[in-house]
């Protein structure tokens, strides 16, 4: 079997089963595990999958450039943003992550809402600057241009002095076993800090992120309160998350 044929077969298994187990794939193809693992390494380098212990999971498309992410699941992100915005009550202190879905939350907050929103995203802050009655607190630090958010020690220090009612977290991967993941270690640390300082953590999860994984874990799913997803997702796709006791809000 040619290398391209092997890789296509691996990707077909990934699409069908949602994961590839190297040992099972080697038996199925009659090849050594070393050969399969080499193919997995090369596919991971191409951004086609995310390697994990014993095999691979789907790679999240949400680690692409900001411009490319703005084109992924746009209708779903709008619906999720609307549903999350409805969760915000007057007088609350809200932490809002950066990213394309969080921007939709900012855009859909009720025009009469009076609340304080704290964010480390200049893009989100600029959007909220148009809101007539929202107070905006912008967290500073080193700008991580891939996601247009502040990261680093200064940002963590500021977050540690805040007590928020709710945190809306953006992620690139949501997996029942691996938990919440993202593509950068420092960005993951900022998300953990924001979650620690919030009474409730809500994850914004468009469908392409469910079952996918990225290199850096933010936290296990047991440490968050709910997921906001698109309204039309099949129940079987959500069942693993419901079994963990997560509340699922459909946008």
């Amino acid at each position: 079997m040619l290398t391209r044929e092997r890789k296509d077969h691996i990707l077909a298994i990934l699409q069908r089963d949602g994961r590839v187990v190297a040992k099972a794939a080697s038996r199925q193809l009659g090849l050594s595990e070393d050969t399969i693992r080499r193919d997995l390494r090369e596919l991971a380098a191409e951004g086609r999958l995310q390697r994990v212990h014993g095999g691979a999971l789907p790679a999240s498309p949400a680690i692409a450039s900001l411009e490319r992410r703005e084109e992924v699941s746009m209708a779903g992100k709008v619906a999720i943003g609307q549903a999350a915005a409805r969760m915000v009550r007057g007088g609350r202190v809200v932490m809002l992550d950066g990213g394309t879905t969080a921007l939709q939350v900012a855009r859909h907050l009720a025009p009469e809402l009076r609340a304080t929103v704290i964010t480390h995203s200049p893009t989100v802050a600029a959007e909220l600057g148009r809101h007539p009655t929202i107070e905006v607190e912008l967290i500073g630090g080193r700008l991580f241009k891939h996601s247009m958010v502040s990261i680093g020690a200064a940002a963590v220090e500021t977050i540690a002095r805040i007590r928020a009612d709710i945190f809306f977290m953006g992620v690139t991967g949501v997996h029942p076993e691996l938990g919440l993941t993202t593509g950068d270690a420092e960005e993951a640390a900022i998300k953990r800090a924001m979650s620690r300082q919030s009474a409730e953590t809500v994850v914004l999860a468009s469908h392409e992120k469910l079952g996918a994984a990225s290199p850096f874990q933010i936290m296990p799913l047991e440490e968050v309160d709910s997921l906001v997803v698109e309204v039309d997702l099949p129940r079987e796709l959500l069942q693993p998350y419901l079994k963990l006791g997560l509340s699922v809000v459909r946008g």
Side-chain angles (χ1 to χ4, degrees):
M1 182 178 285
L2 298 174
T3 301
R4 187 68 264 164
E5 291 174 327
R6 290 198 312 271
K7 290 181 176 179
D8 287 344
H9 186 82
I10 288 169
L11 293 172
I13 294 172
L14 191 62
Q15 184 174 15
R16 184 190 69 204
D17 299 340
R19 71 185 306 153
V20 173
V21 178
K23 185 175 291 186
S26 69
R27 286 198 303 264
Q28 185 177 359
L29 295 175
L31 298 167
S32 70
E33 278 192 58
D34 285 343
T35 299
I36 298 300
R37 292 183 192 282
R38 183 175 66 247
D39 288 342
L40 293 177
R41 284 195 299 272
E42 292 176 1
L43 285 166
E46 296 168 14
R48 308 292 297 280
L49 51 77
Q50 175 64 47
R51 292 183 68 211
V52 296
H53 181 71
L57 293 171
S60 173
I63 61 173
S65 68
L66 189 63
E67 291 79 7
R68 176 70 186 91
R69 296 199 306 276
E70 288 174 346
E71 301 170 1
V72 176
S73 301
M74 201 61 245
K77 290 176 181 178
V78 170
I80 289 169
Q82 291 171 330
R86 289 194 293 269
M87 298 172 71
V88 180
R89 301 288 179 261
R92 301 190 90 185
V93 176
V94 179
M95 282 201 190
L96 184 54
D97 209 342
T100 53
T101 312
L103 187 61
Q104 293 300 325
V105 179
R107 284 177 179 164
H108 290 96
L109 292 171
E112 71 279 4
L113 179 70
R114 292 183 179 274
T116 298
V117 177
I118 301 163
T119 183
H120 64 320
S121 167
T123 307
V124 169
E127 181 67 34
L128 290 168
R130 301 186 180 97
H131 194 288
T133 54
I134 293 286
E135 292 293 329
V136 184
E137 297 280 348
L138 179 60
I139 296 168
R142 180 169 64 84
L143 184 64
F144 178 46
K145 293 181 181 180
H146 178 270
S147 299
M148 289 300 291
V149 293
S150 297
I151 59 173
V156 171
E157 185 178 346
T158 300
I159 291 165
R161 296 195 293 267
I162 298 167
R163 295 291 183 273
D165 296 299
I166 191 168
F167 169 40
F168 292 101
M169 180 193 292
V171 298
T172 59
V174 183
H175 192 274
E177 298 165 27
L178 299 181
L180 306 173
T181 54
T182 193
D184 180 81
E186 287 196 73
E187 191 175 16
I190 292 290
K191 293 174 190 290
R192 279 193 297 275
M194 295 176 87
S195 180
R196 280 196 302 269
Q197 301 306 115
S198 301
E200 181 182 356
T201 295
V202 177
V203 177
L204 310 171
S206 47
H207 72 273
E208 77 281 359
K209 299 170 184 177
L210 297 177
S214 294
F216 298 98
Q217 188 190 52
I218 303 165
M219 60 180 61
L221 281 168
E222 290 83 357
E223 295 184 21
V224 304
D225 298 284
S226 55
L227 302 177
V228 185
V229 302
E230 293 106 319
V231 68
D232 56 351
L233 290 187
R235 186 173 177 83
E236 56 268 23
L237 184 61
L238 298 174
Q239 196 59 39
Y241 308 102
L242 294 169
K243 283 183 177 179
L244 291 171
L246 286 171
S247 170
V248 175
V249 178
R250 292 175 178 266

